[in-house]
Amino acid sequence: MNDDSSWEYKPDGKEASAAPDLPISSQKAAGPARASKDATIAWTASEYIDHTRGASWYLALAGGTIVLAATVYLATKDYFAPGVIAVLGVIVGVFSRQKPKQVAYELSSLGLKAGEKTYPFNLFKSFALIREGALSSVNLIPIKRFMPPLSIYFDPADEQKIVNLLGSFLPLEEGGLDAIERLARRLRF
């Protein structure tokens, strides 16, 4: 297989930029700078943002679950669907109490290693830089239709190095969070 990483994904004929609008001294006007074969960045970060949830959040979850289950029961006169909704409400409550793990990330010319799993760059068509206040993350957008985007959190001090290395293998896609991710963050989940 030819390992030529000079292609760029261009959805709908639009230009895909190869690097963010950040000051990059090593980027030439003709195209993205290529990372050397031995360039490696390693860091440890949380696998997701840990939101603090008080008793009011759990009461709202319980209330919402009960209202939704009751509405479905009144509309269908069936016990199964409201039972499933109640079980899902309990599962969401239980999983919301779990704390995120610390994951060791390593970004190199071979791809991204997150914990024990390695993701080669050919699984992704582009990446997007997400800024949420003081926190930054990168969403790797997969080529496969049913593979979810991979979110990687990092220290803001490492942002330039990570974006430069990713930009030498994948194009930067403008955009932010999709509707499901925005809803999950709004619900503090």
Side-chain angles (χ1 to χ4, degrees):
M1 175 167 35
N2 187 3
D3 190 27
D4 182 21
S5 59
S6 63
W7 68 276
E8 283 190 29
Y9 176 76
K10 297 177 183 175
D12 303 328
K14 295 178 184 175
E15 287 295 317
S17 63
D21 296 337
L22 301 172
I24 302 172
S25 60
S26 64
Q27 185 171 348
K28 297 178 183 174
R34 294 288 165 209
S36 65
K37 292 290 183 188
D38 57 349
T40 301
I41 302 168
W43 72 97
T44 302
S46 178
E47 64 182 335
Y48 58 87
I49 298 173
D50 185 24
H51 295 286
T52 56
R53 296 173 194 88
S56 61
W57 188 90
Y58 290 102
L59 286 174
L61 175 65
T65 301
I66 291 169
V67 167
L68 183 61
T71 304
V72 169
Y73 174 74
L74 292 174
T76 64
K77 300 294 187 214
D78 182 30
Y79 292 109
F80 182 73
V84 169
I85 291 170
V87 169
L88 287 176
V90 170
I91 290 171
V92 168
V94 168
F95 279 107
S96 69
R97 296 195 48 93
Q98 290 190 351
K99 299 294 180 194
K101 298 174 188 169
Q102 292 293 313
V103 179
Y105 294 101
E106 184 178 311
L107 189 62
S108 69
S109 61
L110 301 175
L112 172 74
K113 184 174 181 184
E116 297 298 317
K117 187 146 173 96
T118 301
Y119 301 93
F121 289 123
N122 63 3
L123 292 178
F124 304 102
K125 64 182 177 183
S126 62
F127 73 99
L129 184 62
I130 309 293
R131 290 194 178 96
E132 301 176 60
L135 296 174
S136 294
S137 67
V138 168
N139 276 5
L140 294 168
I141 292 85
I143 292 173
K144 294 181 181 178
R145 175 175 289 190
F146 296 111
M147 182 179 173
L150 183 62
S151 294
I152 305 163
Y153 293 92
F154 52 84
D155 185 17
D158 294 333
E159 179 177 319
Q160 189 69 40
K161 294 185 291 188
I162 291 169
V163 168
N164 284 344
L165 186 57
L166 273 174
S168 65
F169 296 101
L170 296 170
L172 175 68
E173 183 177 283
E174 295 298 322
L177 303 172
D178 64 10
I180 299 295
E181 290 173 334
R182 284 193 305 267
L183 176 64
R185 293 199 172 149
R186 187 174 181 124
L187 294 174
R188 299 176 58 113
F189 196 76

